[in-house]
Amino acid sequence: MIKNNFPIDTVRKDTPACQHKIHLNNAGASLQPLAVLNTMRAYFELEAMTGGYETAVLKADEIAAFYELLAQLLRTQKHNIAFATNATSAYAKALSSIPFQKGDVILTTDDDYVSNQIAFLYLVKQLGVKLIRAHKQQNGGVDVNAIEDLIQKHRPKLVAVTHVPTNSGLVQDVNAIGQICEAAGVWYLVDACQSAGQLDVNVNHIKCDFLSATFRKFLRGPRGTGFLYVSDKALQGGLTPIFPDLHGAKWTTPNTYVLNQTAKRFEYWERNYSNLLGAKAAVAYALDIGMPAIEQRVKSLSDYARTKLAALTDFQILDQGNALCGIIGLHSPKYDWQALKAKLIAHHFNVSVAVKSSAWIDFEEKGVEWALRISPHYYNTEQEIDTLFDFLQSLPLCGSSH
């Protein structure tokens, strides 16, 4: 049993959908707490009665507080924070700021997110950079020693690592890699899309130059919101995203402009302020509970789930690595994944499926085409995990792949 003083009754009361759904798709999009919903609704109502520009002026202090709260969550300063419409946009802007030249090396891992891998391959094709993926340890997860050796051998322009892959519960050792990158003077980009909100992400420990994430997943914010952390080193080094606008730079003469001195150079002027304030409310909610408590709760639930689900006769758990988190990958050759997912949804389980095109290297090595992704969050319960186990254990074959 999970024994702690976590305020489970309060957080479930703040999450009304818990009354009729077993939501285990938090790696896709979490259920939002009432604080987020109420904040966004109030802003929309005020904007409808006041006007778009005028409401933004009235709410200027609350909008500014977004940067302060997120900086508190990440252990940084507000000038290091940029708002984004999604994590991929934030990541792409960071990637676009690296001054690549033909022959430069990007060093990454087999488990980096699919959109990042596509972006790297685009740079290989368009700019002639070289892409190197460090090999894994035998039990899963990138070999940190291999990262260090490859940095010394190839002197990459950028090291890019996804903290938690989208398709498994693996947690990469981004802190150790950050120390190596800092010592070598290499730009370091971390994708924290699946870790922010379930793990206590501290950019001072990671020592990254950039860190991108979304709010819709474990941070429990609205869709259409993300952020980018930009280090002082990157700001002072003049790194600039492609095509800054009048918010990221100031037009000073007909032929010159000056960059914003903060991470806002990575923003665009137009954004959905209702979404931004919803994201702020989500951060405030997480801070009120405390990230150490959230991390402990998610780990306890996911450990319980792995132990429970490992007893399923027709499924295997795919997760590998020294450290695992709140994403559990299940596979069975006896089921068609589309039929399986439809059965689960019909019985009020919210889950998702990762397919091979989102994790080519990992799934090729594991010999699977898909994984049922179970991702509990702190508002889930042991009883919900038990209910899922009972359902999967008694499930008849549905669209067998054989």
Side-chain angles (χ1 to χ4, degrees), residues 20-306:
H20 60 87
K21 288 281 185 183
I22 296 181
H23 188 80
L24 296 168
N25 189 20
N26 296 287
S30 287
L31 299 175
Q32 299 166 11
L34 286 173
V36 173
L37 177 63
N38 293 337
T39 296
M40 296 175 67
R41 179 185 291 129
Y43 190 92
F44 268 131
E45 291 175 350
L46 179 61
E47 188 176 63
M49 299 302 295
T50 306
Y53 283 22
E54 293 77 12
T55 303
V57 172
L58 289 173
K59 293 290 185 176
D61 289 344
E62 292 182 39
I63 291 167
F66 163 83
Y67 299 90
E68 297 171 0
L69 283 176
L70 186 54
Q72 182 180 340
L73 186 81
L74 299 177
R75 317 308 204 284
T76 187
Q77 303 299 315
K78 62 182 180 180
H79 72 265
N80 299 110
I81 300 296
F83 176 77
T85 54
N86 57 69
T88 300
S89 174
Y91 192 94
K93 286 185 178 181
L95 190 60
S96 77
S97 75
I98 305 298
F100 290 113
Q101 296 180 354
K102 185 176 182 180
D104 284 342
V105 171
I106 297 173
L107 176 58
T108 189
T109 77
D110 289 344
D111 292 294
D112 262 51
Y113 182 53
V114 53
S115 293
N116 305 346
Q117 299 277 10
I118 291 171
F120 302 151
L121 294 173
Y122 171 87
L123 291 171
V124 170
K125 181 178 180 180
Q126 296 295 323
L127 299 183
V129 305
K130 297 179 181 178
L131 178 62
I132 297 175
R133 299 184 181 99
H135 67 256
K136 296 179 182 178
Q137 302 175 93
Q138 188 172 4
N139 63 340
V142 69
D143 187 330
V144 174
N145 291 327
I147 290 277
E148 186 169 25
D149 291 343
L150 289 168
I151 287 175
Q152 293 177 357
K153 181 177 180 180
H154 296 283
R155 299 302 302 175
K157 181 65 67 73
L158 175 71
V159 172
V161 179
T162 293
H163 195 181
V164 173
T166 190
N167 56 288
S168 80
L170 169 69
V171 181
Q172 302 275 38
D173 193 351
V174 292
N175 291 10
I177 296 170
Q179 293 178 356
I180 295 167
C181 290
E182 183 182 55
V186 176
W187 296 116
Y188 183 33
L189 169 58
V190 174
D191 181 338
C193 205
Q194 294 288 13
S195 58
Q198 68 152 321
L199 302 179
D200 191 4
V201 175
N202 184 329
V203 294
N204 293 312
H205 293 165
I206 298 174
K207 299 184 183 299
C208 52
D209 296 296
F210 297 100
L211 183 140
S212 63
T214 186
F215 284 97
R216 78 174 191 273
K217 297 179 183 286
F218 291 96
L219 278 169
R220 304 186 66 193
R223 298 194 71 175
T225 55
F227 69 83
L228 180 68
Y229 159 80
V230 186
S231 71
D232 286 338
K233 174 188 170 186
L235 291 173
Q236 294 163 9
L239 294 193
T240 311
I242 191 170
F243 304 133
D245 75 350
L246 78 168
H247 179 74
K250 183 178 180 180
W251 196 18
T252 49
T253 75
N255 296 309
T256 61
Y257 66 88
V258 176
L259 285 172
N260 190 311
Q261 295 303 298
T262 75
K264 290 183 179 179
R265 73 177 63 164
F266 288 84
E267 294 182 343
Y268 283 143
W269 179 80
E270 178 61 14
R271 78 278 309 274
N272 185 319
Y273 284 108
S274 173
N275 278 2
L276 183 148
L277 290 182
K280 170 180 164 287
V283 174
Y285 195 88
L287 287 170
D288 187 54
I289 298 172
M291 282 310 307
I294 289 173
E295 180 173 327
Q296 180 185 9
R297 172 75 181 178
V298 175
K299 185 179 188 313
S300 295
L301 269 176
S302 57
D303 286 349
Y304 179 82
R306 281 192 180 86

Side-chain angles (χ1 to χ4, degrees), residues 299-354:
K299 185 179 188 313
S300 295
L301 269 176
S302 57
D303 286 349
Y304 179 82
R306 281 192 180 86
T307 300
K308 188 80 177 181
L309 297 173
L312 288 169
T313 55
D314 291 330
F315 290 85
Q316 67 180 49
I317 294 177
L318 300 175
D319 305 323
Q320 298 176 342
N322 293 326
L324 299 176
C325 66
I327 301 177
I328 301 154
L330 290 176
H331 178 76
S332 172
K334 296 184 177 182
Y335 294 92
D336 171 79
W337 70 263
Q338 292 173 312
L340 175 61
K341 182 180 178 181
K343 284 276 189 181
L344 285 160
I345 291 175
H347 287 79
H348 308 292
F349 295 98
N350 284 355
V351 296
S352 61
V353 174

